[in-house]
């Protein structure tokens, strides 16, 4: 079953697209195209054993796909083997929200171009979830939420200035968060709780950037944080059996703080510039050779490094120039 609904300056509603009369091999497809300003799109798909697919295209300003503030409405997909949606918005002050739940495989792809756009996506109770978000412009925001999935992959790339990105994962088997920001005064916040294996890949380029990556109750956590600019702050806290991390800051007035709990962990902090401060704390429990490894490298003036390790068989290195 396929519906193609172009609307202009109106509200779109394509609800309950499942069809009991369709053949077992059929999938549900919904496509919505809106041009102009102040448009609204709401699509709901559920109860199809094969799959559900959605494409939404909006061109203009002040368009809305659901309500990102409450993460309700917008595009909703439930109870199908495959849940896939694609949203494209071009203009300013656009909003997009999506919810995918109870599927074997879920995919979310969104592209926004303009100023002050907001995206919020929530994926729950799935075998595999994948999200790909791209924003270009100024003052855009991305919010990702995934829970109770076996594997979760979230990738967000923001090009421009003054973007905000936050990711919250919980009760997942594997969680991968890959983010990229480009501009001034950007912020990234990632929190992953009760996840077996967590991976963070964060990159920022510009000035006054801030990164916060928290991983709790995990078996293994891996960090890769890169900042380039002035007045950057990076904080990574980990509670896992084992964890690895590399934090690189280049510029002035940078501050890096990491906190790891567990054993067989390794973390490296590299700072280049002036007025930098680095603190690294690890908690090891078993006295084995090279249990936890911590390295802090600083190059500049008036730098301060603090390294604390608990347990046996730890190795700590501080290099200042």
């Amino acid at each position: 079953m396929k519906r193609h609904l172009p609307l202009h300056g109106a509200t779109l509603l394509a609800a309950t697209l499942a069809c009991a009369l369709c053949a077992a091999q059929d999938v549900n497809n919904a496509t919505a195209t809106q041009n102009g300003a102040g448009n609204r799109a709401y699509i709901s798909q559920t109860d199809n054993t094969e799959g559900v697919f959605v494409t939404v295209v909006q061109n203009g300003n002040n368009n809305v796909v659901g309500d990102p503030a409450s993460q309700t409405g917008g595009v909703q997909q439930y109870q199908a083997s495959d849940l896939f949606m694609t949203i494209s918005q071009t203009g300013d002050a656009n909003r997009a929200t999506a919810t995918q739940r109870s599927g074997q495989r879920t995919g979310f792809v969104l592209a926004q171009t303009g100023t002050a756009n907001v995206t919020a996506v929530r994926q729950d109770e799935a075998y595999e979830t994948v999200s790909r978000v791209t924003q270009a412009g100024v003052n855009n925001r991305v919010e990702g939420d995934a829970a109770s999935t076996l594997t979760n992959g979230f990738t967000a790339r923001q090009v421009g200035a003054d973007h905000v990105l936050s990711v919250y994962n919980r009760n997942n088997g594997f969680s991968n968060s890959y983010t990229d920001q480009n501009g001034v005064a950007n912020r990234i916040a990632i929190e992953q709780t009760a996840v077996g294996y967590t991976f963070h890949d964060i990159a920022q380029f510009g000035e006054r950037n801030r990164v916060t990556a928290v991983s709790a109750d995990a078996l293994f956590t891996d960090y890769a944080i890169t900042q380039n600019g002035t007045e950057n702050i990076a904080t990574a806290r980990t509670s896992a059996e084992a964890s690895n991390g590399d934090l690189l800051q280049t510029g002035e007035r940078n501050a890096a703080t990491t906190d790891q709990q567990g054993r067989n962990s390794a973390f490296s902090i590299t700072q280049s510039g002036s007025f930098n401060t680095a603190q690294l704390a690890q908690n090891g429990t078993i006295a084995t050779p090279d249990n936890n490894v911590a390295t802090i490298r600083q190059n500049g003036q008036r730098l301060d490094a603090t390294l604390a390790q608990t347990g046996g068989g730890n190795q700590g290195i501080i290099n200042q120039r």
Side-chain angles (χ1 to χ4, degrees), residues 54-87:
V54 166
T55 300
V56 178
V57 178
Q58 291 180 325
N59 298 309
N61 299 328
N62 298 306
N63 294 318
V64 176
V65 180
D67 181 8
S70 60
Q71 292 188 340
T72 59
V75 180
Q76 299 183 3
Q77 295 177 318
Y78 300 101
Q79 298 177 351
S81 59
D82 297 317
L83 310 172
F84 293 100
M85 71 177 70
T86 301
I87 299 176

Side-chain angles (χ1 to χ4, degrees), residues 62-249:
N62 298 306
N63 294 318
V64 176
V65 180
D67 181 8
S70 60
Q71 292 188 340
T72 59
V75 180
Q76 299 183 3
Q77 295 177 318
Y78 300 101
Q79 298 177 351
S81 59
D82 297 317
L83 310 172
F84 293 100
M85 71 177 70
T86 301
I87 299 176
S88 175
Q89 292 179 319
T90 302
D92 299 333
N94 294 317
R95 304 289 185 268
T97 184
T99 301
Q100 296 175 314
R101 180 175 294 124
S102 300
Q104 290 293 318
R105 292 166 297 275
T106 65
F108 175 78
V109 178
L110 181 137
Q112 289 179 323
T113 301
T115 301
N117 295 317
V118 179
T119 298
V121 55
R122 180 166 184 172
Q123 297 170 313
D124 298 331
E125 301 174 4
Y127 180 83
E128 178 182 7
T129 62
V130 177
S131 297
R132 300 289 184 267
V133 177
T134 303
Q135 290 181 321
V138 181
N139 292 319
N140 295 318
R141 187 171 79 243
V142 175
E143 299 177 1
D145 188 332
S148 302
T149 68
L150 179 60
T151 61
N152 168 250
F154 183 88
T155 301
R157 186 172 188 267
Q158 295 174 316
V159 178
D162 301 327
H163 300 309
V164 177
L165 196 157
S166 61
V167 180
Y168 181 39
N169 296 326
R170 61 201 182 280
N171 301 322
N172 300 323
F174 299 85
S175 288
N176 302 305
S177 297
Y178 298 96
T179 60
D180 186 6
Q181 286 183 325
N182 184 343
V184 180
N186 297 324
R187 298 183 297 273
I188 294 179
I190 298 178
E191 180 178 351
Q192 302 190 104
T193 304
V195 178
Y197 298 86
T198 64
F199 302 89
H200 305 76
D201 189 343
I202 302 172
Q204 291 181 319
F205 301 92
E207 299 179 355
R208 299 177 181 86
N209 298 321
R210 179 186 299 268
V211 175
T212 300
V214 178
S215 179
D217 300 328
L219 295 177
F220 177 80
T221 298
D222 184 79
Y223 291 97
I225 302 174
T226 302
Q227 291 180 318
N228 185 349
T230 304
E231 296 182 311
N232 298 324
I233 297 177
T235 301
R237 304 185 185 278
T238 304
S239 175
E241 291 292 329
S243 61
N244 295 322
D246 292 290
L247 193 156
L248 173 63
Q249 293 177 320

